[in-house]
Amino acid sequence: MGWTGKLLHVDLTRGTCERREIPTEILHAYLGGRGLGVRLMRDFFRLDPFDPDMPIIFAVGPLCGTNSPTAARLACVSRSPLTGTIYDCSAGGRFAWRLKAAGLDAIFITGQSAQPAVLAIDGARAELLPAGSLWGKGVKETVASLKERGSVTAIGPAGENGVLYANIMMGEGNSIGRGGLGAVMGGKRLKAITVQGEGTTPVADRERFDAARADVMRLFRASPVIFGELGISEYGTPALVDLMAQRRMAPTENFRATFFADSGNYSGPAIKRECGAKKEGCYGCPIQCKKASAQGEALPEYETVNHFGALNGISDLHAIVRANSLCNELGMDTISAAATLSAFGEARGRFPDASEVASLLADIAHRSGDGELLSLGSRRLAEHLGHSEVSMSVKSLELPAYDPRGAYGMALAYVTSNRGGCHLRAYPISHEILRKPVPTDRFSFSGKARIIKIAEDVNAAVDSLVACKFAFFGATLEEYGELLTAVTGVEYGPEALKAIGERIYLTERFYNCENGFSRKDDTLPERFFTEPGSGGEGIDVPPVDRERFSEELQKYYRIRGLDENGGFGGRNILEELP
Amino acid sequence: MRDQIDKYTEKLLADRSACPDGIAFAAQDDVLITAGAQGLAELAGNTLSRLNSLALVAARPSLPFADFLIARADEQEECIVPQDTETRTFLHDIPFLRQKDLSGDPSPVLAKLLGNRKGVIVEGVGIVAVGAITVEQAFINYSSVFHSTFVKYLQDVLADGFKLPGEREAFEEFRSHWLRPLSATGLDFVPSLPGDKEAILAEIERVGRYTVERGLVDSFFGNISAVAGELIYISQTAASLDELKGCIDPVPADNSSTTGITASSELLAHRKIYEQTGSRVILHGHPKFAVVMSMLCDRKKECSIKDCWKDCPHVRDLGGTPVVAGEIGAGGLAKRVPPVIGASGSAIVYGHGVFTLGREGFGEAFASMVDVENFCREEYFRRVEEEML
Ligand code: SF4
Ligand SMILES: [Zn+2]
Ligand SMILES: [Zn+2]
């Protein structure tokens, strides 16, 4: 129950699609989504991201297909060409739900097609179709031309051309972003996947399920961040713009400052007013945190407005919205695109102005002109320009819109994240800024090593369920454990789920270490240790204390059972795990 | 972390929910530390080291209610299910371990239970509660379990009388010695709230502290606000009312900024109350007798509504204070309280707590919360006596 126990194995080189069983122990031990994908990478993680044999995996979770709040999601897992780390990303949309309805827990794709191809799944049938006519097309057109085949996930020109931060775009406007898995898909010459299915996901204990669902919904209603009148259901994640400005931690001008006087232009209320934002969101999600314009155009998220805004010194909301739409259409990550432009801006002494952004983005996706260099992301660009200090990234992944000088848990979380500088792993914003489940002191390292470790475990489980992190501004693993137990008939409590999360986290870390990552990669750009942020209104934003930072990182390693270098001390952890 | 443990030990002593010689904490950063009463500290440490959490408190409650609830429970029951809003929303139910099932080191089985729930009762030992990421969280969970067992026991006694030897004596002892008279006397309030920010913040901070000191709220539940011109100053979500410095959000009345996303989940209720009553300040707490009494309904037998706490459409009355149903935050409370609170200046929410208003300042709001709770307390004991005759 909960799982279908099947994956679709697709070999693009040979042009074959076949259904295979997934052992039940693996499903019980890794749940689905991120965990299942990471487990399935065990024999492949050493391959180069662009090696044809490198798998790209799409995996749903046991709750998908039920009306568990926020659980119609999937994880996409592979190795990132941008960071070189193991990589996963969670995305919503009808695709996940239909994949499950087609009787699948996962799609496992390897090989490289001789010609551009589309993978079409329709219930028990799966086939590879020629896609020559779609190659070179934008995301909208691609999705539109395939829509009678069900839900679509596709790459745009950025993925085809190997932009290192190319996305895979879900037809309904969600994206598999950040780490460049669009380029991995493009390298395989797989333009799109379509899926259609009729199956339903049975629930083992309906009464228990309904009770757990009611508990979750009650907690959503009790959470100001979720359903509060100023929360994300109302304003989307740009609800954070005003808050980050007020807390003086909005990355500005490539992180030279942490306050942007014009951020009010793209705050939640401003977007609502200027763009007539209406509620949108992932399929089956009661929160509906995504927003669309009156014309149905997806509106940008918090990280995107800040990075095309403050980070590049741009205050024109409409230019920001256009940049977001363009990235979606070309199929590339907004955070990395904007941050790479910003690094470029600092290196050449001039940030791009609002009117210049669109053409630069097009150049990136087509790798023409400056776009060739920009398509490699900020770390490679900065090194090429002889200014490695301007890349504001960790493990080559561009930092999102939470300045680490304004929240020390975030500082630590950026460097311990297995996929590089990302805010969504330990997600300390939840307690350091949004006070959930309880507040912690954002300017203190005290206790943070353990807190980050626990949160990484929790979120690895959440990403494997696969539920949305935003649900946890209200609910906890207690209620999601109940949902899972009710659906699968297997008892899972929070502690059991955290143990699963820990297993997943350690597997990822092990893969990375085997690929040469260590302590030296677990660090922040120099700027954060030497330059202050923009204090004001009674808030002081000093540089991060390097010594306390290292001390806390060492503590973190000890808590994780790692050696001083952040490694496994010769231990082969995989032999110890199911 | 030691300073945190000291701080929350002090709080447990100040709110008199735990016995002075029966409090222990454990916390783990890279190493495990324990502090407090010896046996309990050991239990706390052994249990926490089996959990992927940061802190744990094990303390003997100052009232025997939790133990009585276990002793009164049916043989096959493994948890108690209080009906108050705090439990319903955050704890769900409270598992317990019976004395007779304890043999040797209880920490493995305790850890197992705490792997699923925030707090557990161990008969004859105490309440053990876990904090996933902070010491404060362990304290909050302890406090919620204490609150919930207190409320449930009083409800059960009223419904079923005493069943165990020693119960009546303990109840009398609680009534005559543990409970203290509740009053607003000796407290200073600014008679008419000024308009300037600093003065407003100072007054909110002070009154917040009073509500904790006088036992009108438990753990971090409850909130407080004042309106001035276009701004509502309101305590932040998850803020302890006795520590509001830096934890009060000014929220524009026209929603032009979202910095108030961190404001209390009852922001909407407060906003609507201001709109409909023209009052200046609002106080919201969870005084226990009001919570108990709000759940008594004489229509229970003939009423077809199952989920009274959220669905009951009736406005009942407790000594002139209207009682309505409704859930926290975006639930129905924000709809049901504002229309009824204006006339009496106070309202009780089913199973949840009390809202009171001040037209000029907090003096009125505070006094009326004390009055509501005192009425409910007297009424409770009156009914107990009536039932027991
Ligand atoms: S909260 Fe937002 S991102 Fe999360 S599942 Fe719902 S709509 Fe999607
Ligand atoms: Zn309340
Ligand atoms: Zn009723």
Side-chain angles (χ1 to χ4, degrees):
Chain A
M1 294 275 218
W3 297 279
T4 66
K6 302 271 188 307
L7 70 71
L8 183 71
H9 192 283
V10 179
D11 183 336
L12 291 164
T13 308
R14 290 169 38 228
T16 57
C17 302
E18 63 184 56
R19 287 193 172 225
R20 295 184 185 168
E21 300 280 329
I22 312 171
T24 309
E25 318 84 84
I26 300 267
L27 292 171
H28 285 190
Y30 293 91
L31 300 177
R34 173 176 164 190
L36 178 60
V38 165
R39 173 63 181 77
L40 294 174
M41 283 287 290
R42 197 181 272 193
D43 299 326
F44 306 93
F45 66 86
R46 287 192 177 82
L47 297 175
D48 184 88
F50 288 125
D51 188 310
D53 290 336
M54 172 58 74
I56 183 162
I57 301 162
F58 295 83
V60 301
L63 298 179
C64 185
T66 70
N67 68 337
S68 305
T70 81
R73 302 179 67 85
L74 57 70
C76 183
V77 180
S78 188
R79 191 173 171 199
S80 162
L82 181 67
T83 65
T85 64
I86 175 81
Y87 198 85
D88 75 283
C89 183
S90 164
R94 274 186 170 70
F95 189 91
W97 177 72
R98 293 212 160 103
L99 186 62
K100 186 72 168 278
L104 293 169
D105 289 331
I107 322 176
F108 184 97
I109 304 168
T110 66
Q112 186 180 46
S113 178
Q115 299 300 325
V118 168
L119 168 63
I121 302 169
D122 188 347
R125 290 196 14 230
E127 56 185 330
L128 290 163
L129 309 172
S133 62
L134 292 176
W135 206 250
K137 296 278 193 290
V139 170
K140 257 198 208 130
E141 196 182 336
T142 305
V143 170
S145 69
L146 292 169
K147 76 169 187 296
E148 71 281 8
R149 291 186 177 273
S151 281
V152 184
T153 187
I155 56 169
E160 295 175 9
N161 296 325
V163 173
L164 294 186
Y165 44 90
N167 284 359
I168 301 171
M169 305 300 294
M170 311 300 279
E172 293 91 6
N174 300 264
S175 52
I176 294 167
R178 311 262 30 224
L181 298 196
V184 173
M185 192 156 144
K188 298 187 172 313
R189 293 203 190 86
L190 182 60
K191 177 70 180 175
I193 306 172
T194 66
V195 64
Q196 187 76 277
E198 305 272 277
T200 53
T201 304
V203 171
D205 184 341
R206 179 52 69 176
E207 209 176 307
R208 194 165 171 182
F209 180 85
D210 290 341
R213 188 174 195 282
D215 286 343
V216 170
M217 291 305 297
R218 186 171 311 120
L219 286 161
F220 283 5
R221 287 191 287 272
S223 162
V225 186
I226 298 178
F227 279 145
E229 47 174 336
L230 304 172
I232 58 173
S233 181
E234 200 54 44
Y235 291 103
T237 52
L240 295 174
V241 170
D242 291 328
L243 198 62
M244 292 301 157
Q246 204 266 335
R247 302 292 195 268
R248 302 247 155 194
M249 57 180 288
T252 302
E253 296 187 346
N254 205 31
F255 291 84
R256 289 197 304 214
T258 59
F259 180 78
F260 185 56
D262 292 333
S263 67
N265 285 3
Y266 50 76
S267 70
I271 295 177
K272 189 167 188 168
R273 198 173 57 235
E274 298 292 314
C275 308
K278 58 180 200 312
K279 283 190 192 184
E280 277 270 0
C282 303
Y283 178 64
C285 172
I287 303 173
Q288 298 291 294
C289 79
K290 313 228 184 242
K291 303 296 153 219
S293 71
Q295 293 75 40
E297 192 77 14
L299 291 168
E301 300 265 359
Y302 164 65
E303 290 77 13
T304 307
V305 289
N306 184 83
H307 273 18
F308 278 116
L311 203 69
N312 281 289
I314 293 171
S315 56
D316 176 354
L317 172 61
H318 297 286
I320 294 169
V321 170
R322 265 201 310 281
N324 180 61
S325 298
L326 202 51
C327 283
N328 287 344
E329 175 59 11
L330 296 165
M332 59 191 189
D333 187 68
T334 54
I335 301 177
S336 281
T340 304
L341 287 179
S342 182
F344 182 56
E346 183 173 356
R348 68 173 175 170
R350 178 176 72 79
F351 291 105
D353 59 51
S355 59
E356 212 183 338
V357 170
S359 67
L360 279 166
L361 291 175
D363 284 350
I364 294 173
H366 296 101
R367 297 179 64 165
S368 56
D370 286 334
E372 179 64 46
L373 191 55
L374 288 162
S375 75
L376 303 175
S378 69
R379 203 256 305 154
R380 292 169 177 86
L381 167 125
E383 277 167 11
H384 185 91
L385 297 176
H387 281 286
S388 55
E389 77 285 356
V390 302
S391 170
M392 305 310 285
S393 60
V394 173
K395 301 186 180 69
S396 310
L397 188 66
E398 286 72 23
L399 295 181
Y402 309 86
D403 197 287
R405 286 164 294 200
Y408 296 170
M410 195 70 253
L412 201 58
Y414 279 146
V415 309
T416 61
S417 154
N418 284 327
R419 65 174 201 178
C422 154
H423 57 295
L424 288 166
R425 299 281 109 159
Y427 212 28
I429 290 309
S430 186
H431 48 89
E432 292 192 316
I433 302 297
L434 295 170
R435 309 177 59 84
K436 289 294 159 191
V438 285
T440 63
D441 180 356
R442 65 185 173 116
F443 289 116
S444 163
F445 275 112
S446 171
K448 293 288 168 69
R450 168 92 43 189
I451 295 175
I452 295 302
K453 185 267 181 193
I454 294 169
E456 285 170 345
D457 294 348
V458 167
N459 287 325
V462 169
D463 286 335
S464 308
L465 276 172
V466 181
C468 176
K469 246 146 247 167
F470 296 159
F472 294 78
F473 289 137
T476 68
L477 283 184
E478 249 177 89
E479 297 78 28
Y480 272 83
E482 275 294 298
L483 284 172
L484 181 62
T485 303
V487 170
T488 62
V490 184
E491 287 288 334
Y492 286 102
E495 205 63 28
L497 288 169
K498 283 191 266 184
I500 291 174
E502 178 168 38
R503 180 180 298 145
I504 296 163
Y505 177 90
L506 286 175
T507 304
E508 294 170 346
R509 175 105 195 166
F510 183 81
Y511 292 171
N512 286 347
C513 289
E514 289 291 293
N515 282 326
F517 287 90
S518 68
R519 154 91 246 241
K520 68 181 187 320
D521 304 289
D522 294 348
T523 192
L524 291 170
E526 187 61 17
R527 166 163 292 160
F528 299 118
F529 297 114
T530 53
E531 299 170 26
S534 328
E537 287 187 67
I539 301 171
D540 198 23
V541 189
V544 175
D545 181 331
R546 197 190 306 263
E547 227 158 283
R548 269 303 278 130
F549 177 82
S550 314
E551 195 179 292
E552 206 61 20
L553 183 61
Q554 283 302 329
K555 237 185 223 183
Y556 171 87
Y557 289 159
R558 283 197 293 279
I559 293 167
R560 277 270 176 224
L562 302 170
D563 62 26
E564 270 175 33
N565 200 29
F568 289 79
R571 213 167 125 214
N572 183 349
I573 184 105
L574 301 182
E575 287 169 359
E576 301 163 22
L577 300 176
Chain B
M1 257 171 228
R2 297 253 173 214
D3 51 331
Q4 292 289 303
I5 290 176
D6 291 346
K7 173 174 168 185
Y8 291 103
T9 303
E10 279 306 313
K11 284 203 175 199
L12 287 173
L13 291 171
D15 70 13
R16 298 187 301 127
S17 60
C19 296
D21 57 351
I23 301 174
F25 277 89
Q28 49 186 352
D29 197 352
D30 55 340
V31 291
L32 179 77
I33 54 173
T34 59
Q38 219 185 6
L40 286 169
E42 200 177 314
L43 179 69
N46 288 343
T47 307
L48 182 63
S49 60
R50 296 167 195 273
L51 293 169
N52 201 348
S53 288
L54 189 128
L56 188 131
V57 55
R60 198 165 69 247
S62 56
L63 293 166
F65 296 170
D67 277 352
F68 286 154
L69 286 172
I70 297 175
R72 290 164 66 106
D74 283 342
E75 198 49 39
Q76 70 285 359
E77 280 171 30
E78 293 170 335
C79 63
I80 55 174
V81 189
Q83 297 298 313
D84 64 286
T85 301
E86 267 181 50
T87 310
R88 191 182 298 286
T89 308
F90 301 102
L91 298 173
H92 309 304
D93 55 33
I94 307 168
F96 57 75
L97 284 173
R98 287 194 172 82
Q99 189 76 58
K100 67 175 174 55
D101 298 330
L102 296 177
S103 58
D105 180 8
S107 52
V109 40
L110 198 49
K112 191 152 180 283
L113 291 176
L114 286 169
N116 295 317
R117 284 290 181 265
K118 299 177 185 79
V120 168
I121 306 163
V122 188
E123 190 181 15
V125 175
I127 295 171
V128 183
V130 64
I133 64 167
T134 61
V135 177
E136 181 190 22
Q137 218 180 347
F139 162 76
I140 290 165
N141 289 333
Y142 175 90
S143 184
S144 287
V145 173
F146 181 79
H147 175 87
S148 300
T149 53
F150 187 119
V151 168
K152 177 159 171 59
Y153 181 69
L154 292 196
Q155 271 186 297
D156 288 2
V157 164
L158 186 54
D160 309 319
F162 301 120
K163 293 175 161 179
L164 309 166
E167 236 184 320
R168 178 183 295 274
E169 295 72 18
F171 188 83
E172 279 309 324
E173 170 71 17
F174 152 70
R175 182 178 178 177
S176 50
H177 288 104
W178 194 90
L179 281 180
R180 289 176 182 166
L182 187 62
S183 85
T185 51
L187 302 178
D188 282 328
F189 298 96
V190 177
S192 174
L193 200 73
D196 79 296
K197 184 176 172 180
E198 292 314 313
I200 292 175
L201 294 183
E203 180 72 351
I204 294 179
E205 283 168 34
R206 199 152 51 102
V207 176
R209 222 167 39 239
Y210 291 163
T211 61
V212 176
E213 283 167 11
R214 299 276 159 126
L216 294 171
V217 298
D218 61 284
S219 63
F220 70 171
F221 297 93
N223 42 66
I224 179 170
S225 76
V227 71
E230 289 302 293
L231 290 177
I232 297 172
Y233 294 91
I234 184 165
S235 56
Q236 292 185 335
T237 180
S240 296
L241 292 190
D242 55 347
E243 295 178 70
L244 288 178
K245 199 166 180 45
C247 294
I248 299 164
D249 279 336
V251 184
D254 62 356
N255 282 351
S256 54
S257 151
T258 53
T259 49
I261 190 174
T262 50
S264 160
S265 55
E266 298 310 352
L267 171 62
L268 184 62
H270 286 237
R271 190 194 296 280
K272 291 255 145 66
I273 292 171
Y274 287 126
E275 280 169 15
Q276 295 190 24
T277 65
S279 57
R280 299 268 340 254
V281 307
I282 297 169
L283 201 55
H284 167 53
H286 297 183
K288 295 180 174 67
F289 285 92
V291 176
V292 172
M293 294 305 292
S294 71
M295 291 188 278
L296 284 184
C297 169
D298 5 327
R299 303 193 209 204
K300 283 241 156 92
K301 276 199 199 73
E302 73 261 15
C303 184
S304 61
I305 289 166
K306 255 183 34 242
D307 295 340
C308 307
W309 75 91
K310 66 175 164 101
D311 293 338
C312 180
H314 310 297
V315 180
R316 289 175 293 126
D317 173 276
L318 275 169
T321 298
V323 183
V324 295
E327 280 186 286
I328 308 182
L333 178 164
K335 267 193 230 88
R336 290 215 176 94
V337 172
V340 302
I341 195 172
S344 56
S346 57
I348 304 178
V349 180
Y350 188 106
H352 178 157
V354 180
F355 284 83
T356 58
L357 311 176
R359 275 146 246 265
E360 297 295 328
F362 282 106
E364 186 190 355
F366 199 92
S368 103
M369 176 125 12
V370 166
D371 288 346
V372 170
E373 179 64 355
N374 275 333
F375 174 85
C376 291
R377 192 192 276 196
E378 278 161 33
E379 183 63 11
Y380 175 81
F381 287 115
R382 193 186 66 72
R383 295 224 196 175
V384 166
E385 278 164 18
E386 199 177 271
E387 293 294 321
M388 305 258 168
L389 285 180

